[in-house]
């Protein structure tokens, strides 16, 4: 990965993966968090969901990511917000962080970086007993996904909703609800990225041009396969 070119496309975008505020609100309604809840946004990227998470009265949100550029960007974005703390923390070590355990972990489009089973276990270790995990996970929306739909996830072992549900139960969670992210959630990610690609095209060197093609190709590929695959958002209570 050419990180300079990656960050030329991705710096200061409003979000780094599909999502919209109404999905966060839906998850918070299911979670029923206490006032002043401790929430972690794990793999927060640009912090696109932090504001929606702050809807819980008195909640404190710790937004973590491993990418230094995103951490710096979030620190600037939430500099005036006393209820937000931004940290360069790896999700695999979240349970050891002094702010853990949490009432809720929100993990949008990031748990699968660890793999589903490891991600569920790592998050459980960082939750209070009865705490809630909300995560979006690549999923197939058809029984017969095309080669194109498989290729979109570049070899990730994508499951259908039943497969995700059984992994959630096996990891010791009670599912509170699931929903498929809508097209608007994906466009909230791709539309600003495509505007950035268009702005950078003119002066791009070879490395940047290759990155622009890669990112533009991903958005185009999603539009071809979006009826077959997407993100399933699951809200689940840790039974520990
Ligand atoms: C697809 S982006 C989603 C970002 C954000 N949640 C959103 O929806 O806009 C995934 C993010 O997870 C972060 N990430 C990947 N592995 C991580 C890890 N082990 N610990 C913390 N963050 C990680 C990446 O740096 C990236 O910002």
């Amino acid at each position: 990965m050419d990180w300079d070119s990656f960050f030329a496309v991705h710096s200061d975008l409003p979000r780094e993966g599909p999502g919209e505020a109404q999905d966060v609100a839906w998850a918070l309604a299911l979670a029923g968090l206490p006032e002043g809840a401790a929430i972690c946004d794990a793999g927060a990227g640009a912090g696109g969901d932090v504001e929606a998470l702050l809807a819980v009265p008195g909640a404190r949100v710790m937004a973590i990511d491993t990418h230094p550029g995103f951490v710096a960007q979030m620190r600037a974005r939430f500099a005036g917000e006393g209820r937000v703390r931004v940290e360069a923390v790896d999700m695999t070590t979240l349970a050891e962080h002094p702010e853990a355990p949490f009432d809720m972990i929100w993990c949008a489009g990031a748990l699968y970086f660890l793999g589903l089973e490891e991600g569920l276990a790592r998050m459980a270790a960082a939750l209070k007993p009865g705490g809630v995990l909300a995560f979006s996970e690549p999923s197939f929306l058809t029984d017969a996904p095309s080669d194109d739909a498989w290729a979109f996830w570049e070899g990730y072992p994508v499951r259908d909703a039943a497969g995700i549900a059984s992994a959630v139960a096996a990891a010791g969670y009670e599912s509170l609800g699931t929903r498929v992210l809508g097209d608007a959630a994906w466009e909230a990610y791709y539309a600003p990225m495509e505007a950035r690609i268009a702005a950078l095209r003119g002066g791009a060197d070879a490395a940047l041009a290759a990155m622009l093609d890669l990112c533009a190709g991903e958005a185009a590929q999603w539009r071809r396969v979006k009826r077959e695959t997407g993100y399933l958002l699951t809200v689940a209570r840790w039974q520990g």
Side-chain angles (χ1 to χ4, degrees):
M1 173 74 78
D2 173 1
W3 286 107
D4 286 346
S5 297
F6 172 84
F7 211 56
V9 178
H10 284 269
S11 62
D12 292 321
L13 295 180
R15 54 180 313 117
E16 283 300 323
E20 54 184 334
Q22 67 177 36
D23 288 326
V24 180
W26 171 81
L28 292 178
L30 285 179
L33 299 177
E35 193 169 331
I39 301 175
C40 178
D41 186 343
D49 292 320
V50 168
E51 200 180 324
L53 291 168
L54 287 172
V56 178
R60 291 166 292 117
V61 177
M62 183 169 96
I64 65 161
D65 206 281
T66 41
H67 191 291
F70 293 147
V71 170
Q73 189 177 310
M74 286 196 286
R75 287 200 169 128
R77 184 171 179 174
F78 301 111
E81 178 48 81
R83 291 196 288 148
V84 178
R85 169 178 183 152
V86 176
E87 298 228 4
V89 172
D90 192 310
M91 285 189 281
T92 57
T93 63
L94 185 57
E96 294 143 41
H97 193 279
E99 292 289 312
F102 298 93
D103 294 294
M104 181 180 191
I105 299 173
W106 171 262
C107 191
L111 197 81
Y112 74 96
F113 281 75
L114 306 186
L116 183 55
E117 273 75 16
E118 183 181 347
L120 289 168
R122 295 281 187 185
M123 297 301 121
L127 281 169
K128 294 178 185 173
V132 172
L133 170 66
F135 71 101
S136 53
E137 172 76 7
S139 180
F140 287 129
L141 312 175
T142 167
D143 292 339
S146 65
D147 290 349
D148 227 13
W150 273 108
F152 182 70
W153 297 108
E154 298 175 338
Y156 184 74
V158 178
R159 308 172 203 200
D160 60 10
I164 294 170
S166 61
V168 166
Y173 294 83
E174 175 202 3
S175 177
L176 303 178
T178 64
R179 67 178 355 187
V180 176
L181 265 58
D183 287 1
W186 287 82
E187 295 294 356
Y189 171 45
Y190 285 138
M193 186 184 79
E194 288 175 317
R196 172 69 54 78
I197 290 168
L200 292 173
R201 273 284 178 212
D205 62 15
L208 180 56
M211 181 59 66
L212 298 180
D213 289 345
L214 189 73
C215 295
E218 182 195 316
Q221 191 183 6
W222 169 72
R223 294 196 179 96
R224 284 198 303 277
V225 301
K226 66 182 185 176
R227 297 291 161 247
E228 299 180 68
T229 190
Y231 273 125
L232 185 76
L233 178 59
T234 298
V235 182
R237 191 176 302 287
W238 166 236
Q239 303 287 75

